[in-house]
């Protein structure tokens, strides 16, 4: 039986033109130095981040919330290991749930989403960031804008001559709305007998020593930059 012929060693083929690097080339050496420096810089930043307490890199900013919509407060932080995040409103902690959502957009960005905006959401919101090395915090306000509206209009009223008549409406709006009253389509000119008062949530028209001439159709209206509303009531004095 004859011996098998020894296998031939493959001959390395020359690399295609332009695919070789000369380590003695000054440009190649310069690129290598930049890569090494970049890696060392990344490693140094990582080590500093690991050892330092949380820091706020981009602070919270005030946000305007339109009634019925959602608002988001966003903060960029630096913290490692992973920190504990706590949001609060006017000093009271907010739980993550349907109304308030804790959002983590990337390792450095955290946010709070406030859903179904209403006037009660107006206030100061704070974030507290804690890890084993320390803590940091920041605050901003949510400003709520609500179209002017009449929550409950005045009731129709029957009164006797000489008595005092009051018509009251529950109002809402932010910015605070302008309020006015009319009788039979004409603006009411106030005096010490007929006048109206405006509170934070109500407005009341007062008619003292009522006479039959005070009978008529009364309107209350509210208006701000986001909208207007009105309501009517009938007064009969006999």
């Amino acid at each position: 039986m004859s011996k098998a012929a020894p296998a031939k060693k493959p001959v390395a083929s020359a690399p295609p033109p332009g695919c070789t690097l000369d380590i003695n080339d000054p440009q190649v050496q310069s690129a290598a130095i930049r890569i090494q420096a970049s890696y060392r810089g990344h490693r140094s930043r990582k080590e500093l981040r690991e050892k330092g307490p949380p820091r706020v890199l981009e602070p919270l900013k005030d946000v305007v919330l339109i009634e019925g919509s959602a608002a988001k407060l966003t903060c960029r932080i630096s913290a490692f290991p992973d920190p504990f995040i706590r949001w609060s409103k006017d000093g009271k902690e907010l739980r993550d749930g349907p109304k308030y959502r804790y959002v983590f957009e990337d390792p450095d960005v955290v946010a709070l989403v406030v859903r179904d905006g209403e006037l009660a959401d107006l206030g100061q919101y704070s974030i507290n960031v804690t890890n084993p090395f320390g803590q940091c915090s920041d605050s901003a306000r949510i400003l709520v804008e609500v179209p002017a509206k009449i929550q409950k209009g005045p009731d129709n009223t029957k009164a006797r001559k000489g008595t005092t008549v009051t018509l009251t409406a529950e109002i809402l709006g932010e910015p605070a709305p302008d309020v006015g009253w009319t009788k039979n389509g004409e603006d009411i000119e106030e005096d010490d007998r007929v006048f109206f008062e405006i509170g934070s949530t109500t407005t009341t028209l007062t008619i003292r020593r009522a006479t039959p001439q005070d009978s008529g159709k009364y309107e209350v209206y509210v208006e701000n930059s986001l909208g207007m509303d009105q309501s009517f009531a009938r007064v009969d004095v006999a």
Side-chain angles (χ1 to χ4, degrees):
M1 183 181 289
S2 61
K3 294 182 179 179
K8 294 182 179 181
K9 295 182 179 180
V11 178
S13 59
C19 294
T20 60
L21 290 175
D22 182 357
I23 61 174
N24 294 317
D25 186 329
Q27 290 184 338
V28 174
Q29 293 178 347
S30 176
I33 291 172
R34 289 197 299 271
I35 292 171
Q36 291 174 350
S38 175
Y39 172 75
R40 285 196 299 270
H42 169 76
R43 186 175 61 186
S44 297
R45 289 192 297 273
K46 188 173 183 293
E47 290 171 351
L48 286 172
R49 185 183 180 195
E50 288 175 347
K51 296 177 182 178
R55 293 182 297 118
V56 175
L57 302 181
E58 291 183 13
L60 297 171
K61 296 179 180 179
D62 292 348
V63 174
V64 174
L65 172 60
I66 304 297
E67 184 188 34
S69 65
K72 183 163 80 170
L73 293 166
T74 302
C75 182
R76 184 177 292 275
I77 61 174
S78 173
F80 193 87
D82 290 342
F84 175 75
I85 305 294
R86 183 174 68 90
W87 288 93
S88 61
K89 174 183 179 286
D90 297 330
K92 182 179 180 181
E93 184 174 355
L94 301 174
R95 301 292 184 181
D96 186 28
K99 175 65 175 180
Y100 304 104
R101 294 295 298 172
Y102 285 28
V103 178
F104 302 90
E105 297 185 339
D106 67 36
D108 292 334
V109 176
V110 294
L112 176 73
V113 176
V114 180
R115 296 174 172 174
D116 302 321
E118 56 185 342
L119 194 56
D121 294 321
L122 176 71
Q124 180 154 313
Y125 291 73
S126 300
I127 182 174
N128 184 272
V129 185
T130 306
N131 75 3
F133 300 99
Q135 67 90 31
C136 65
S137 61
D138 195 28
S139 299
R141 291 186 61 80
I142 285 185
L143 310 172
V144 181
E145 291 191 346
V146 179
K149 64 179 67 176
I150 296 174
Q151 298 281 75
K152 183 180 182 300
D155 295 324
N156 293 330
T157 302
K158 292 184 178 181
R160 291 188 176 185
K161 179 180 177 181
T163 60
T164 297
V165 176
T166 58
L167 300 177
T168 299
E170 297 177 6
I171 61 175
L172 183 67
E174 185 63 40
D178 294 327
V179 180
W181 288 83
T182 68
K183 176 193 173 188
N184 297 330
E186 299 289 335
D187 288 338
I188 291 177
E189 296 185 5
E190 295 181 90
D191 53 32
D192 61 351
R193 194 183 72 86
V194 180
F195 56 91
F196 61 89
E197 299 171 300
I198 303 170
S200 58
T201 59
T202 62
T203 177
T204 298
L205 174 69
T206 299
I207 305 172
R208 292 175 175 171
R209 303 182 300 279
T211 68
Q213 287 72 32
D214 293 317
S215 299
K217 182 181 180 181
Y218 288 80
E219 174 195 1
V220 57
Y221 62 87
V222 293
E223 182 176 8
N224 65 10
S225 58
L226 300 174
M228 70 168 296
D229 198 6
Q230 59 190 3
S231 184
F232 300 89
R234 176 77 193 179
V235 172
D236 290 300
V237 180

